[in-house]
Amino acid sequence: MGERYGSFSLPDDRAISYDLTPTDQDTPVILLSNSLCGQFRSWDKVVAALSVRGFRVLRYDQPRHGASGVPKDLASTTFDSLADDAYALLQHLDLKTVAAWVGVSMGASTGITFAAKYPGIISQLVVCDTISCALTLAGAVDPFPPRVKAMRTAGNLDELVEGTMQRWFGKDWISAHPGEAARMRGIMLTGTTMDGFETCCAALSSPSYDLRKQVEAAGRGCRKALLLVGENDANLPTTMQELRRGLERGNGKSVELRVVANAGHVLFVDGFEDFMQLLLTFLQG
């Protein structure tokens, strides 16, 4: 079949941009869901590795990332609305099920929300590097409003992107991998708008963002699940155990949390080889 890349209008007339690799209709579909500031081009190496192993890959962009549109009310984005966007995309593409949802950061939170809200569509759920709720609900300071304010004051994303690169990868990795660091920096700068950053931060700051209330339902909503986390991603290797236990209770099967050595928040970039090995073992198991 021909390539299916483009965008379509959601029920509120926003566009959502996507990329579905061209292959046979009956080939299992792996859906990849992005982090904040991550355009779907971030996954290029993962798409190539999955495609040569016989998978069809669907990627899409978050609101006002890439060519996706943004809601009129930037404060209205929630993980429920993001899950609804993904459901509408699957309906548009006539995909009744996906073999796996692989989400990183907010893409992982969307995957858990989706599996709980639309059970039986995701066969295998892969949750990578995500917090379990809005940080204020955990008694912590919410970093997102100050970042939005600083971005609006500056009138651009330059400083925000540099800070994100440091948090995601660290100075040592950036220095040792200048080509890949430049690719990711370029994707963030050209693929993210200020409105897109602000509206996605609204979802991350929303009091409705609490995966702890949904995670067991998400476990029931998929056939099996796996959690992956970068070793260097703050305290997530520890705090994601709460999500693992919830998925396991709901799923009724053992759910593993595997740590990708020397990787940070976007582990499929700086931990690519180990990430792919763990992902393929899970998908083909």
Side-chain angles (χ1 to χ4, degrees):
M1 60 176 298
E3 184 178 5
R4 295 175 64 175
Y5 164 78
S7 64
F8 96 102
S9 293
L10 293 161
D12 64 357
D13 293 327
R14 281 181 297 120
I16 182 169
S17 61
Y18 66 90
D19 178 23
L20 180 63
T21 54
T23 188
D24 186 82
Q25 287 273 22
D26 296 327
T27 303
V29 174
I30 309 298
L31 185 152
L32 306 177
S33 188
N34 309 331
S35 65
L36 178 67
C37 292
Q39 193 180 6
F40 68 55
R41 291 186 294 123
S42 305
W43 297 94
D44 283 352
K45 290 176 66 176
V46 175
V47 172
L50 290 172
S51 296
V52 299
R53 289 166 175 84
F55 293 105
R56 195 176 179 202
V57 185
L58 173 62
R59 306 175 279 175
Y60 68 96
D61 279 325
Q62 308 287 6
R64 213 58 192 99
H65 291 57
S68 287
V70 70
K72 293 178 181 178
D73 178 3
L74 297 180
S76 67
T77 299
T78 65
F79 282 100
D80 264 352
S81 72
L82 293 170
D84 291 342
D85 290 352
Y87 180 71
L89 176 60
L90 293 179
Q91 286 190 309
H92 170 72
L93 296 172
D94 196 27
L95 294 173
K96 303 294 191 296
T97 60
V98 293
W101 178 301
V102 183
V104 171
S105 191
M106 68 176 294
S109 296
T110 307
I112 289 175
T113 304
F114 186 102
K117 192 169 186 177
Y118 299 106
I121 293 178
I122 299 171
S123 178
Q124 300 169 102
L125 177 62
V126 182
V127 173
C128 307
D129 295 80
T130 188
I131 56 178
S132 58
C133 63
L135 289 173
T136 54
L137 299 180
V141 175
D142 185 350
F144 296 109
R147 290 175 192 169
V148 170
K149 182 178 180 181
M151 173 196 67
R152 291 296 186 185
T153 299
N156 60 61
L157 290 126
D158 295 1
E159 187 173 342
L160 174 73
V161 166
E162 287 307 313
T164 300
M165 288 288 295
Q166 295 297 328
R167 285 191 299 274
W168 281 7
F169 303 118
K171 292 181 180 179
D172 291 344
W173 185 89
I174 292 170
S175 296
H177 302 85
E180 187 66 351
R183 184 181 79 91
M184 290 301 298
R185 184 181 289 108
I187 285 171
M188 285 191 278
L189 282 170
T190 62
T192 310
T193 66
M194 290 193 289
D195 283 353
F197 184 80
E198 182 171 341
T199 200
C200 288
C201 284
L204 290 161
S205 297
S206 171
S208 68
Y209 175 33
D210 194 347
L211 301 180
R212 298 169 299 183
K213 297 179 179 179
Q214 299 174 301
V215 66
E216 288 191 35
R220 292 190 294 272
C222 62
R223 182 171 61 84
K224 63 177 184 175
L226 171 70
L227 292 88
L228 299 175
V229 62
E231 177 184 21
N232 300 329
D233 195 1
N235 64 346
L236 287 185
T238 299
T239 60
M240 281 179 64
Q241 288 288 355
E242 181 181 20
L243 292 177
R244 184 199 65 77
R245 290 189 291 268
L247 285 168
E248 192 168 83
R249 285 193 299 270
N251 193 260
K253 301 174 185 175
S254 177
V255 173
E256 284 192 293
L257 188 154
R258 302 295 300 273
V259 177
V260 177
N262 302 314
H265 190 61
V266 188
L267 72 179
F268 65 87
V269 175
D270 54 354
F272 174 75
E273 297 294 341
D274 288 346
F275 170 82
M276 287 307 308
Q277 182 177 2
L278 290 167
L279 177 61
L280 290 168
T281 298
F282 176 72
L283 295 177
Q284 297 169 342

